[in-house]
Amino acid sequence: MYHKIMVPVDLQMQPMVENSLNVATDLATLYGASITLVSITPSVVATGATTPEQAADELKEMAAAHARKSGLSVVAHHMTTPDVPAELDTMLLKAVDAVEADLVVVASHEPGRADYISASHAGRLATFAKVAVLVVR
């Protein structure tokens, strides 16, 4: 049913990512699918912050470690943008097309008051993606 599963990864939020990655792993195992980890980081960084190259390397290592652990095909797809908060939703939708995903498994937080005014990134992805989106809490 699914062939390519995309998992958005915020490298700063490992526990939430772990939950969505576990679900994606179960589904990939069930359907014989591959997993693509996607991260989006700033293209311009402040002094002392993680560079785009360092973030890409960290994502590649995460993918390689998960591939060894799960026995699945897991690859990394890193993207940059000057303004991550403003562009994240658009970049995630572009990533769906770029990696040719047919399912996105994305972590999300429990909704708070602000989410009733403006949807979360996972909510926007689920609303606007042309493929199935599974939101994991």
Side-chain angles (χ1 to χ4, degrees):
M1 180 170 200
Y2 298 112
H3 303 287
K4 291 187 178 182
I5 301 173
M6 179 178 124
V7 180
V9 172
D10 183 338
L11 296 169
Q12 308 304 316
M13 301 181 75
Q14 293 298 331
M16 286 179 86
V17 170
E18 194 67 33
N19 290 339
S20 60
L21 190 52
N22 288 338
V23 171
T25 299
D26 289 345
L27 291 170
T29 301
L30 178 66
Y31 293 112
S34 63
I35 296 174
T36 301
L37 305 181
V38 173
S39 71
I40 300 165
T41 59
S43 54
V44 179
V45 296
T47 304
T50 302
T51 68
E53 294 78 16
Q54 291 169 323
D57 289 344
E58 186 177 338
L59 186 69
K60 285 178 189 173
E61 178 50 41
M62 180 186 231
H66 194 70
R68 287 189 300 272
K69 177 181 168 186
S70 67
L72 297 169
S73 171
V74 184
V75 297
H77 182 80
H78 181 254
M79 301 169 74
T80 62
T81 184
D83 190 354
V84 175
E87 296 292 324
L88 184 60
D89 299 327
T90 301
M91 296 297 289
L92 287 172
L93 291 169
K94 287 180 180 180
V96 171
D97 292 336
V99 304
E100 300 177 340
D102 50 14
L103 173 66
V104 179
V105 178
V106 60
S108 187
H109 59 280
E110 188 171 328
R113 291 180 195 217
D115 293 307
Y116 291 100
I117 297 167
S118 177
S120 66
H121 297 295
R124 285 192 202 95
L125 189 58
T127 301
F128 295 106
K130 297 174 186 171
V131 300
V133 176
L134 175 61
V135 179
V136 178
R137 287 194 187 131

